[in-house]
Amino acid sequence: MAAGTRSDAKRWYQKQWDPDRAVGDWFALLADSGWGYPSWPTEWFGRSMDRADVRAVREERKKIGALPPPSGIGPSLLAPMLFRHGTDDQMRRFLPAMAWKGETFCQMLSEPEAGSDLAGVTTTATLDGDEWVINGSKIWTSKANEVDYGMLLARTDPDAPKHRGLTFFLVARDQPGIDVRPLRTMTGAASFNQVFFDDARISVNDVIGAPEDGWTVTRTFLALEKNSYNPDAHEGGPFGKVDLDQTCAQLQQREQARRSAAAQGRGAGQLITDLIDKHGHGITELTRARRARLHTWRRVMGYTNQRVRASRRQGNSLPGFEGPMSKLTVSTITREQRDLGLETQGPHGMLADEHGASGQFHHFFLSSPAISIAGGTDEIQRNHLAERILDLPKEPLFDPNSVVVEDKKT
Ligand SMILES: Cc1cc2nc3c(=O)[nH]c(=O)nc-3n(C[C@H](O)[C@H](O)[C@H](O)COP(=O)(O)OP(=O)(O)OC[C@H]3O[C@@H](n4cnc5c(N)ncnc54)[C@H](O)[C@@H]3O)c2cc1C
């Protein structure tokens, strides 16, 4: 860690932090001083700090109780993508937008026929003067109904090989050619959407990376996204839209209330412990074995997080094996917790009303499959580990035309 980082951060926060300041002014001050996102480049609202320094700054901010800058897809995914592939003009417009102007972003990548195989997207972008015209549809787009911009992958050359002829864009969501329709999941919530494009428009200035080189940008995006399950990837401030005119103290109170509600609803580890206390009679050899497995996976998770930090200290800004491992361990732990919770309750686990299992557990149970799918499925993470990290032979491609269907003789 650079000498003086901790004391400089402490001095700055002690001098500047004022809970009665308006949120928008505070976020602007954080970005302007470089203390809000210290890992960002010095010339772009940061201090070019490494992980150890960034952690020290966060610790000092926490001790003083100051509000962190916004978190979420903008600062954690789009900003590092812009540092690699963006233009100066894009950084001048979009970094302030996410850092203090309250604008938010979503990912418009998956399509009905292209999820794991993203290079198969068929949404098209056609150049018309100094604008691209977008037609097609994206699906499973989280928060598309409330954000300002979408990160969009579209096909710009239908004749080029699959991984070429793609371009990565930033598209303004609020425009006549975009229709966002909510999709309800089995939990009852509608947190993601299908988005339809009918001659939507994007300025030529809003291509990220070079036209036709969208796959390079997508690979950066996917590497960063796998790591977004790591709490270190976020500064800790609010996700999503906030009122910038309220005071910092008011926002902190709201965030605190939201976190307590979320902790009650999502603290799966505590939820399972409570269920075991309540339904102790449900403990069997099987549940004991599952608890041991859960414990092992938590240790694996701890080790993976340590490796992520170590790799960052060595200056690797894109995760290697740690990203897919981190994602896989989170989804394995979620499944183990889900099954342990059900087994512990015995027959009560089948009930969802006040006589049976807690409603919270059922919400967790119903939402648990999502974690193995969102951000790349478990199978895709395993393929990545096998082929790119362990150097095992590539999976044979399935060719439906090579399957011979034998006539059934009756
Ligand atoms: C909660 C949630 C939020 C999401 N948010 C967004 C979002 O904001 N933006 C966005 O663009 N997308 C989002 N998604 C979509 C997500 O990225 C895709 O669902 C995911 O990439 C899988 O794609 P798919 O659904 O098309 O499944 P498919 O790719 O069709 O896969 C179907 C099954 O086949 C398996 N499979 C596919 N290919 C292989 C292979 N080569 N080897 C082995 N097995 C394989 C998969 O593992 C899976 O089990 C979200 C999904 C969820 C669940």
Side-chain angles (χ1 to χ4, degrees):
M1 191 170 72
T5 297
R6 197 174 275 283
S7 52
D8 288 352
K10 183 176 173 181
R11 236 191 335 273
W12 188 87
Y13 274 104
Q14 273 174 338
K15 184 160 175 233
Q16 300 295 342
W17 169 237
D18 172 6
D20 293 326
R21 200 191 286 269
V23 168
D25 293 346
W26 173 241
F27 286 165
L29 186 61
L30 282 175
D32 202 37
S33 64
W35 287 111
Y37 299 105
S39 66
W40 288 10
T42 310
E43 61 277 27
W44 294 113
F45 312 108
R47 290 181 166 255
S48 303
M49 283 184 178
D50 65 14
R51 293 311 294 175
D53 282 330
V54 169
R55 202 159 327 113
V57 173
R58 286 181 188 172
E59 282 166 14
E60 291 308 315
R61 182 171 64 219
K62 199 167 176 190
K63 279 188 214 155
I64 288 164
L67 177 69
S71 295
I73 286 180
S76 68
L77 275 174
L78 179 58
M81 282 172 66
L82 290 179
F83 298 141
R84 281 179 185 81
H85 306 288
T87 61
D88 282 7
D89 168 61
Q90 287 168 346
M91 289 194 271
R92 260 191 300 275
R93 286 188 294 134
F94 293 111
L95 296 175
M98 66 181 79
W100 74 84
K101 293 188 177 166
E103 297 197 346
T104 52
F105 302 81
C106 74
Q107 313 165 19
M108 295 175 169
L109 284 88
S110 307
E111 294 185 2
E113 298 303 325
S116 305
D117 184 15
L118 266 184
V121 296
T122 56
T123 293
T124 57
T126 316
L127 197 56
D128 176 24
D130 56 2
E131 286 184 327
W132 291 90
V133 182
I134 314 296
N135 282 289
S137 154
K138 296 286 171 180
I139 199 165
W140 319 126
T141 327
S142 306
K143 308 285 179 201
N145 51 332
E146 55 190 59
V147 298
D148 301 288
Y149 288 93
M151 291 185 257
L152 173 87
L153 182 65
R155 188 158 296 285
T156 37
D157 181 357
D159 300 324
K162 191 169 157 186
H163 290 81
R164 308 229 179 92
L166 294 168
T167 303
F168 209 101
F169 298 92
L170 271 170
V171 58
R173 187 202 53 112
D174 189 12
Q175 58 166 298
I178 296 187
D179 180 16
V180 178
R181 298 186 201 161
L183 295 170
R184 200 162 294 282
T185 69
M186 62 183 166
T187 63
S191 61
F192 47 35
N193 307 269
Q194 183 158 10
V195 183
F196 296 89
F197 299 89
D198 182 10
D199 286 344
R201 301 237 152 204
I202 304 179
S203 154
V204 286
N205 298 325
D206 291 345
V207 170
I208 304 183
E212 313 291 310
D213 196 25
W215 191 245
T216 307
V217 185
T218 305
R219 288 184 63 168
T220 304
F221 171 90
L222 293 173
L224 291 162
E225 189 194 32
K226 285 186 190 80
N227 196 46
S228 59
Y229 287 81
N230 186 334
D232 260 7
H234 304 278
E235 278 297 331
F239 285 75
K241 287 247 173 258
V242 294
D243 169 8
L244 298 174
D245 293 330
Q246 66 188 317
T247 66
C248 292
Q250 284 169 328
L251 178 57
Q252 281 181 310
Q253 269 171 12
R254 292 200 172 104
E255 284 285 292
Q256 188 54 44
R258 190 186 55 76
R259 283 210 178 97
S260 321
Q264 276 177 12
R266 271 195 249 136
Q270 186 57 45
L271 203 56
I272 307 299
T273 310
D274 293 350
L275 287 172
I276 289 171
D277 286 349
K278 191 169 162 199
H279 300 274
H281 57 272
I283 300 288
T284 62
E285 289 304 318
L286 194 64
T287 46
R288 253 185 224 112
R290 203 181 281 288
R291 283 174 87 177
R293 255 203 327 263
L294 185 56
H295 177 72
T296 310
W297 274 107
R298 285 189 177 137
R299 296 291 296 267
V300 173
M301 183 76 193
Y303 173 72
T304 309
N305 285 344
Q306 271 175 22
R307 285 294 307 253
V308 172
R309 288 189 200 115
S311 147
R312 288 258 174 89
R313 273 199 296 276
Q314 287 159 10
N316 302 327
S317 53
L318 286 179
F321 98 95
E322 300 88 355
M325 266 314 283
S326 170
K327 235 230 107 201
L328 267 178
T329 42
V330 170
S331 54
T332 308
I333 287 171
T334 304
R335 273 198 303 278
E336 290 289 346
Q337 285 175 325
R338 174 199 66 192
D339 295 347
L340 180 59
L342 267 191
E343 279 164 17
T344 303
Q345 295 168 78
H348 286 262
M350 291 186 288
L351 305 175
D353 63 12
E354 71 275 18
H355 304 299
S358 105
Q360 276 176 30
F361 177 77
H362 275 81
H363 188 274
F364 169 69
F365 173 79
L366 291 173
S367 60
S368 59
I371 197 84
S372 306
I373 303 171
T377 65
D378 287 1
E379 289 77 12
I380 295 300
Q381 308 304 327
R382 289 197 181 93
N383 282 353
H384 182 105
L385 284 170
E387 294 170 11
R388 305 240 183 100
I389 310 293
L390 300 175
D391 219 8
L392 294 174
K394 267 194 167 297
E395 182 189 18
L397 287 178
F398 173 69
D399 176 5
N401 298 324
S402 69
V403 178
V404 179
V405 182
E406 287 179 20
D407 281 347
K408 263 194 174 172
K409 296 210 173 71
T410 48

